[in-house]
Amino acid sequence: MAEHAEYEAPASAEMAARQNSDDALRLLLAQRRLHSRAKKWQSFRWIGLVLLGVAAPFVSVLIPGSAVAVGAVTGLWLFVGRTVLAWFETRSMTRAAAIQELLDLYIFKMPATIERTSVPSLEDIAVLAAAPGGLRATANKEKLLDWYPIAADHPGSETVAIAQRANASYTGRLIRTAVWVWAGLTLAWLVFLTIWSSVSALSFGAILLGVIFPVLPAALDVVEYLLSTWRAAQDREDLANTIQSRIEGDAPILGQELVAWQVQMYDLRRTTPQAPDWLYNLTRSRNEAAMHAAADELRRKKQ
């Protein structure tokens, strides 16, 4: 196995061709489907919490004596979500991160630092990437071509660094948007519950047992998700800033730096909370335009 110091980035023209090859598109399609599977498990867990969080206060108030039962059901769903459903989500997310790592190593012709036990088998990847309409047609439909902003005439080491920074920054922007969306929705719901409780002339005990306690488990999950997602966004921003400072510096970027950043990227990918597909699709065009503009600006500064 090659050591970090031995790594030398290939020519940018070669990386541009490799990222649009059938092998790369197959890996990219497989990891996207695994990410979508992970997000489905996450959505299933969140839909249950949202339904309970929305319905629980009304059921507790409209049906006297049901507050304890409603709270028990909400707590049970929280337990199931944090154990069984979270396990399925994490498993799919970790396997997707491992495939994306294979994709990057293939495009950048980078040595593998360690063996990833979470990497799916070749058969699993083939099943995940199955495209009845044809691999390239499916990849074109899902806009998977030219995945990284690569300029064929730019130095290879800087191209790898720009691609790594683009990935860190892109995902950081996406999950930061997710934090603001979920925080806004949660705050709006809490304000509504407060106003509704006030105009309903409920007693303090009824508000406590019927409104606050039933939504606490869902609120706990939301708060933990927001905090962990915000931390993940900050970690990606720190990595993007570190890479950017090296790109803009005068000293040449070393191969071991690129490999070290790649290791950091993998760790972030397998631990970063998921952003829902609907939010990804809604912001994709804007975020991709920002990614390409930033890459062009970095290349311009080095000319």
Side-chain angles (χ1 to χ4, degrees):
M1 182 177 296
E3 297 293 333
H4 294 188
E6 298 177 6
Y7 174 65
E8 184 176 349
S12 296
E14 181 179 357
M15 287 186 280
R18 288 172 76 87
Q19 75 170 346
N20 289 329
S21 67
D22 286 351
D23 289 336
L25 295 177
R26 189 174 295 108
L27 291 172
L28 188 53
L29 188 58
Q31 70 89 12
R32 280 172 59 83
R33 289 179 173 174
L34 273 174
H35 272 303
S36 293
R37 183 180 298 176
K39 292 174 184 180
K40 288 178 181 178
W41 287 113
Q42 182 194 61
S43 297
F44 184 46
R45 177 161 63 96
W46 276 72
I47 286 173
L49 283 174
V50 169
L51 290 177
L52 289 170
V54 170
F58 297 103
V59 173
S60 299
V61 171
L62 295 176
I63 304 178
S66 64
V68 175
V70 170
V73 171
T74 307
L76 178 61
W77 183 259
L78 181 64
F79 172 78
V80 172
R82 290 191 170 199
T83 53
V84 178
L85 300 181
W87 183 85
F88 280 115
E89 177 190 348
T90 302
R91 180 174 181 270
S92 297
M93 187 172 65
T94 303
R95 297 176 77 208
I99 293 180
Q100 193 164 0
E101 178 77 355
L102 290 180
L103 171 70
D104 286 353
L105 298 184
Y106 172 76
I107 294 174
F108 305 146
K109 297 185 72 173
M110 187 176 287
T113 53
I114 62 174
E115 295 297 328
R116 309 291 187 187
T117 57
S118 55
V119 176
S121 66
L122 294 176
E123 291 82 2
D124 289 339
I125 293 176
V127 172
L128 287 167
L135 177 62
R136 301 198 71 83
T138 302
N140 187 61
K141 179 181 178 181
E142 298 191 18
K143 301 178 181 179
L144 304 183
L145 297 174
D146 297 324
W147 186 249
Y148 286 119
I150 296 177
D153 58 348
H154 206 68
S157 60
E158 291 180 6
T159 291
V160 174
I162 288 174
Q164 291 173 325
R165 183 202 171 277
N167 187 278
S169 179
Y170 184 103
T171 308
R173 287 170 57 87
L174 174 63
I175 60 179
R176 190 177 292 108
T177 302
V179 169
W180 287 113
V181 169
W182 285 116
L185 292 174
T186 302
L187 180 61
W189 177 238
L190 292 177
V191 169
F192 170 78
L193 285 180
T194 302
I195 296 175
W196 175 69
S197 301
S198 301
V199 300
S200 298
L202 297 175
S203 65
F204 176 77
I207 294 175
L208 192 65
L209 293 176
V211 178
I212 297 178
F213 283 176
V215 302
L216 278 182
L220 175 64
D221 228 28
V222 171
V223 170
E224 289 195 354
Y225 171 82
L226 295 178
L227 291 177
S228 61
T229 304
W230 187 259
R231 285 194 298 267
Q234 291 297 108
D235 290 340
R236 287 179 176 271
E237 183 177 353
D238 290 342
L239 178 57
N241 290 337
T242 298
I243 298 174
Q244 181 176 336
S245 66
R246 288 292 291 113
I247 295 173
E248 295 176 339
D250 296 328
I253 298 174
L254 304 178
Q256 59 264 37
E257 291 180 294
L258 297 173
V259 176
W261 293 333
Q262 190 64 36
V263 171
Q264 288 182 260
M265 188 72 67
Y266 173 75
D267 288 337
L268 289 173
R269 284 170 175 164
R270 66 186 180 87
T271 57
T272 298
Q274 302 280 302
D277 273 339
W278 63 265
L279 183 61
Y280 168 77
N281 293 327
L282 188 64
T283 60
R284 181 175 182 178
S285 296
R286 183 186 63 191
N287 286 339
E288 287 188 354
M291 177 185 70
H292 285 281
D296 291 340
E297 178 65 15
L298 288 173
R299 284 191 289 261
R300 185 189 63 79
K301 289 182 178 180
K302 298 300 291 186
Q303 291 177 352

